[in-house]
Amino acid sequence: MVKAYRQEHVYKHPWERVSAASWRKFADPENKRILSHILEVDTLNRKLDTDTGKLHTTRALTIHAPGPWFLHRIIGQDICHCVESTVVDGKSRSMQLTTKNISLQKFIEVEERIRYDPHPENPSAWTVCSQETSIRIKPLSALASMAEKVEQKCAEKFMQNSVKGREVMERICKYMEAESAPI
Amino acid sequence: MGLLKKKDSTSGRSSTSPCADLRNAYHNCFNKWYSEKFVKGQWDKEECVAEWQKYRACLTENLDGKLLTRILEVDGELNPTKQAASKESS
């Protein structure tokens, strides 16, 4: 039982700015109110390949995911830890983020992949973001009998949060644009 | 509640972790480096090293060991797929 969802979004900002905004997304205090489901973001590992310009980073996200009451009753906790693994290729200008839950894995696995690439039609000024989310309910878990309902709720939540995430990204981009504009 | 070992129960929902200041210092330094140097092709040198070491030391001291191990395991699982994906795109 795997459900996958794809979304695409074009930012009318260069890749350099969008990828920088992605790093700031969870950290700027201004956005903490909007992305209030993100409680903590910690960087656990970083590796820069000084020859190839590849930057690997591992972050831990602590997420508040209360979910609907029927889920809460089964799972009994509403804090979820996730690992976010990122590779930025400075040479080819690509950024790839993969996020996976490490809590609640016996019930559900959610994997989210996000890529930021220069837009093929306007590579120096626009950026395309493609996002793929897959949700997998473990077949023998307590959630299996209501898998469809859980998946649907989960997907709705993801969509809501990704809309919020996009708004925040757009805002940071605008702010960074203003910051870098010549006076 | 968070990633860090339980402290007092009143520790609220965020940013009260003992490493918050060091974390902010590192992330600020990183963000500056990323947008002013890395994306301009200046990746020949690691920066924010002092900030990173202090922050990292604090995390090591305060982090729940079991959780950290699990995180690094999952990170290892995620990494091979990422390398394959980046080969595809090049």
Side-chain angles (χ1 to χ4, degrees):
Chain A
M1 272 175 281
V2 183
K3 282 225 164 143
Y5 303 86
R6 276 189 66 92
Q7 284 172 286
E8 229 176 64
H9 181 70
V10 176
Y11 290 95
K12 301 209 165 158
H13 293 276
W15 176 84
E16 286 73 9
R17 187 179 296 142
V18 175
S19 64
S22 169
W23 288 118
R24 294 173 192 221
K25 186 172 160 186
F26 301 134
D28 278 6
E30 174 75 2
N31 302 317
K32 278 203 171 150
R33 264 176 304 128
I34 304 166
L35 301 175
S36 57
H37 58 294
I38 307 287
L39 302 183
E40 303 269 3
V41 180
D42 273 296
T43 304
L44 299 183
N45 226 335
R46 61 167 209 171
K47 207 179 104 224
L48 172 67
D49 187 327
T50 51
D51 293 326
T52 60
K54 276 194 184 167
L55 175 69
H56 294 250
T57 306
T58 308
R59 300 199 300 183
L61 313 182
T62 306
I63 295 171
H64 182 235
W69 64 269
F70 60 88
L71 269 190
H72 196 261
R73 190 171 278 184
I74 296 168
I75 293 170
Q77 75 176 82
D78 55 11
I79 298 290
C80 177
H81 297 294
C82 296
V83 180
E84 176 204 77
S85 198
T86 305
V87 181
V88 185
D89 187 331
K91 234 176 227 170
S92 69
R93 299 166 81 222
S94 79
M95 181 185 217
Q96 301 181 42
L97 303 98
T98 311
T99 311
K100 201 173 173 174
N101 62 305
I102 51 168
S103 315
L104 316 178
Q105 271 192 329
K106 60 178 175 171
F107 299 110
I108 189 168
E109 273 179 10
V110 180
E111 193 170 309
E112 185 183 64
R113 290 165 178 274
I114 299 182
R115 285 190 64 120
Y116 294 102
D117 294 291
H119 194 287
E121 281 164 33
N122 197 350
S124 60
W126 292 356
T127 304
V128 59
C129 167
S130 44
Q131 180 174 357
E132 215 179 284
T133 308
S134 67
I135 301 166
R136 180 170 178 266
I137 309 280
K138 292 292 179 74
L140 296 175
S141 77
L143 295 183
S145 63
M146 44 177 136
E148 216 157 303
K149 199 169 178 186
V150 174
E151 281 167 350
Q152 193 198 332
K153 285 280 171 198
C154 198
E156 280 168 16
K157 194 83 198 170
F158 260 95
M159 295 298 174
Q160 284 165 13
N161 284 338
S162 68
V163 170
K164 280 191 209 166
R166 214 147 56 206
E167 283 167 14
V168 166
M169 285 286 293
E170 289 282 10
R171 211 203 348 229
I172 302 173
C173 284
K174 239 184 225 157
Y175 160 83
M176 290 177 74
E177 184 178 27
E179 214 178 32
S180 68
I183 301 158
Chain B
M1 170 171 258
L3 249 193
L4 301 163
K5 288 174 196 157
K6 283 216 171 74
K7 303 145 289 181
D8 54 306
S9 55
T10 56
S11 63
R13 295 180 22 149
S14 66
S15 290
T16 44
S17 88
C19 306
D21 289 344
L22 294 173
R23 171 174 61 202
N24 288 343
Y26 171 68
H27 285 159
N28 287 340
C29 182
F30 172 87
N31 285 330
K32 199 167 147 59
W33 168 78
Y34 184 85
S35 36
E36 290 176 11
K37 296 198 173 162
F38 181 81
V39 294
K40 294 177 181 163
Q42 299 169 35
W43 51 64
D44 52 315
K45 195 168 135 264
E46 289 240 32
E47 291 196 16
C48 310
V49 175
E51 286 85 351
W52 170 245
Q53 281 168 351
K54 277 185 219 157
Y55 171 45
R56 188 69 226 240
C58 180
L59 283 182
T60 314
E61 195 179 311
N62 290 282
L63 209 60
D64 180 332
K66 257 204 282 189
L67 190 60
L68 180 63
T69 312
R70 187 75 196 104
I71 288 170
L72 296 178
E73 264 170 31
V74 173
D75 185 41
E77 290 164 22
L78 292 175
N79 262 317
T81 47
K82 255 179 348 202
Q83 273 152 13
S86 57
K87 255 179 220 153
E88 258 168 50
S89 67
S90 62

